[in-house]
Every structure is written in C-alpha cells, then in structure tokens.
Amino acid sequence: MKISLILPLHDARQTGWRPLASALQQSGGHWEVEVVVVLGRAAADDLPLDADALALLRHCAAVVHVDADPRRADMEIPLLLAGYGKATGDLLYFMEGHTILEPDACATIAAYFGERPHTRIAWAPRNHHCHTPLGALIGVHSRHHECLAAERGGFWLGANSVITRELFEQLGGLDPAYMRFAERVLSERVHRAGIAIGRLPKPLATHHDDMPAAQLIAVGAAAGEAKFRYYNAPVSEAGEAPVRVRHPIYLGANHAVVGLMLLPLSWLLAQCLVRAAVGMARITAGAAGIPAGVAGIQKAAAYRVFVLGFGFADLWGYCAARLRAEHLRRKPGGSASNAAPALAQPRS
C-alpha cells in the first residue's frame, strides 16, 4: 500500500513549514508514504526558501512548480491537480498549507484501509487551532459541518479525506472550473453512485483556522462564483450530478437585473456582518464573570451573525459572476448561448 500526501505550499497562515515537516515525519511500516509538494509563483512570499526549507524539499518524492499565483481563489484546485499528476500512490490524501498532520496519520490510514480492503474512500474530522476571535468562529463553523458529515460522510479537501486513486479517477477527479466547490461536486458523485464512505477512527490533522476577515470574505465570494458556474453548467458537464440550489435567493440572483441590485447590498452586508461577528466574539471572550448561560447565548449569537456574513459573501461572489457572464454575452461577438440558463428549482 502506498499513500500519496499532496501538499500545496501556500496560505501557510501561522504554520510556516510545519505542514511539510509533519508530512515528511510520517513513518512507514507495511505501507509506503510519498510526499508531493506543489509550489506556485508566489509561494516564496509567505514561505521563504531558506536552507532549512530547501533541506525539507530535498526529502520530498516530487516538488512541482506551477506558473500560477496561489493567492488566486481559482488556482487552488489546479495546484492540487498538479500534485496529483506526480503522485504514484494507491491512496490520495490532499492537504492544505495550514494543516499539520498527527504523527500517526498515515499509520491510521494504512491500518483502516488494510483492515477494510474494499473501502474506497474514508473521511475523518480534524482538530482545530486558533488564537483570534475570527479563527474561533471559523472553527465552530468547521466543526458544525464535520458533525453533518459524520452522519453521511463526504469528500473534503484539507486533510479530511482519503480516496483511492481508482475511485478518484473513476469519478472524474476535481474539476478546476468549479474551484473549491469541486470537492462538493465529487462528494455528490460519490453519494449518487452509492459508494459507502468510511469513517476513520480519529483526526488525522490539525487545521489552523485563523485568517484575516478580508481573506474569509474572499473565500466566500469564490465559493459563490463556483456555485454560479456549477448551477449553470451545461447538461453535458453537470447533468450527471444533482444540481441542488440550497437557497431560493440564487434563483433571483441568476437574473442579471436582480444580481445587479443584490451585488452592492450583499457586499456591504458581508463586510459589516463578518466584522460585527468578530467584535461580538471578542467582547464575549474578553468578558469576565458573566454566567456560563449568558456567555453561551452571546457565542451563539456571534456565530449566527458570522454565518449570515459568510453567506452574503457567497451571494456577492455569485452576483459578480452572473454580471460577468452577462457582460461577456453582450460584448461584440457574444451570443445568447453565453447567457446562464434557468436554474433548477430547489429540492432536497
């Protein structure tokens, strides 16, 4: 059994080179581990290539250089796919630049798949680490989705999921056109095919949740753009996967006039609500002597405001993508075929 750890070295946050070090420290028994690192054009901005870093890179099975700016939201999947292209393992495990593996992560993976030879995909929760109020809110949000995933499994990037190369290729891999939403598309294909998703017995990694508010809003906007692409994909591309609009507001935003009206409003609400949530969380964290019940209510309120703010960032990205599509349609040489088709009605 060979496990490929695929690590794009960008968005390190406060972790530096520790994600790579944690990958290289995975010991092998009756399994083999290879570490495939991907560096983009701007990777040195966050991670200077000093002597210690170069020493770590020399121990990698492959170091892939991609002529792309990893700070762009639409570049994350191409970076991961570039690493996949050099990976040779039977099992694929996709990491992020701010995920640090547990010392026995690969041992846990090998034991699980070794005892269950028919398993093709498995999922694990993560540990979370933060220092800031926004990081704490992000951690709560991640744990909420992990609880939902625990009920039916899923495929997540970011050191959550392990998938066999065979299944990954059978399901079409990750489509870069859908950016980070590609993980959701792949997960939907797994469920539609009726493939059982295993549950690894313990976390494999620690995810570092802290990031600036501006970066979080940009992540939400990128998710909105990806949803626009997926919900409006031609049948030949997305017809095999269930297109599910999770909120009716996307039906309205898919019309250019409505999208134009919602664009500034969603941007303003995203900026205000995310920052208001951070302020509420900071006040709660700094308050001393308040009853536990009151503190719990304050934390829950801050989280709800955070979710609303992140949702409006998503809607902002969706509206912006809709208006860009309309602009392309109206350009000289454009045609009605460039316009987005009507979305499917929401369904469970």
Side-chain angles (χ1 to χ4, degrees):
M1 179 187 301
K2 187 175 185 179
I3 305 170
S4 294
L5 307 180
I6 300 170
L7 173 60
L9 285 174
H10 73 97
D11 191 17
R13 302 183 187 177
Q14 303 81 30
T15 61
W17 290 91
R18 284 183 291 158
L20 177 55
S22 72
L24 292 171
Q25 289 166 2
Q26 299 297 310
S27 59
H30 58 280
W31 67 94
E32 184 181 351
V33 179
E34 68 171 4
V35 179
V36 179
V37 161
V38 187
L39 293 169
R41 190 189 310 144
D45 289 352
D46 295 325
L47 296 169
L49 291 173
D50 55 22
D52 292 338
L54 292 172
L56 288 174
L57 292 173
R58 281 195 291 271
H59 287 89
C60 297
V63 178
V64 186
H65 294 269
V66 180
D67 186 21
D69 185 348
R71 293 168 296 187
R72 285 178 46 181
D74 58 345
M75 285 293 105
E76 184 173 14
I77 298 302
L79 289 172
L80 289 170
L81 288 175
Y84 154 74
K86 293 293 184 180
T88 61
D90 310 294
L91 297 175
L92 305 175
Y93 184 36
F94 296 94
M95 299 173 61
E96 290 176 314
H98 46 269
T99 50
I100 298 177
L101 299 186
E102 296 297 312
D104 61 348
C106 285
T108 301
I109 293 169
Y112 187 88
F113 280 82
E115 294 166 3
R116 301 164 181 82
H118 298 296
T119 299
R120 305 175 72 188
I121 180 172
W123 173 89
R126 298 177 301 198
N127 295 316
H128 291 271
H129 179 83
C130 70
H131 289 293
T132 67
L134 179 56
L137 291 168
I138 293 170
V140 171
H141 197 54
S142 295
R143 283 187 287 270
H144 169 71
H145 284 282
E146 287 171 3
C147 288
L148 296 177
E151 299 175 1
R152 65 190 294 245
F155 176 82
W156 289 5
L157 300 168
N160 278 104
S161 300
V162 185
I163 186 170
T164 65
R165 171 185 293 277
E166 178 187 23
L167 180 60
F168 184 77
E169 294 174 351
Q170 176 187 325
L171 296 176
L174 299 169
D175 191 330
Y178 302 137
M179 298 187 285
R180 189 58 183 258
F181 199 64
E183 66 181 357
R184 172 66 185 279
V185 174
L186 185 61
S187 182
E188 292 285 349
R189 290 173 181 168
V190 171
H191 287 296
R192 194 176 61 85
I195 298 168
I197 300 174
R199 170 70 184 267
L200 288 154
K202 58 183 179 179
L204 303 175
T206 296
H207 184 270
H208 284 248
D209 298 321
D210 292 326
M211 66 169 70
Q215 183 181 355
L216 175 76
I217 292 171
V219 168
E225 179 178 352
K227 287 176 184 176
F228 173 82
R229 296 180 184 182
Y230 180 61
Y231 292 160
N232 291 291
V235 173
S236 59
E237 293 182 26
E240 90 292 348
V243 178
R244 175 172 165 268
V245 184
R246 289 198 284 179
H247 197 288
I249 198 167
Y250 294 112
L251 297 171
N254 215 49
H255 298 280
V257 173
V258 179
L260 181 61
M261 292 189 295
L262 288 173
L263 184 70
L265 178 62
S266 57
W267 179 87
L268 181 62
L269 288 171
Q271 299 287 338
C272 293
L273 290 173
V274 167
R275 286 169 171 79
V278 172
M280 293 167 67
R282 182 177 290 113
I283 291 171
T284 302
I290 60 174
V294 175
I297 293 172
Q298 292 176 338
K299 289 179 181 178
Y303 176 64
R304 291 307 307 164
V305 173
F306 167 84
V307 171
L308 281 173
F310 191 69
F312 278 113
D314 185 297
L315 179 60
W316 172 40
Y318 190 98
C319 293
R322 179 64 187 91
L323 295 175
R324 279 194 295 272
E326 183 67 13
H327 174 70
L328 291 174
R329 187 185 72 85
R330 293 178 178 274
K331 285 179 64 175
S335 66
S337 63
N338 299 117
L343 295 184
Q345 293 296 320
R347 62 178 185 271
S348 59

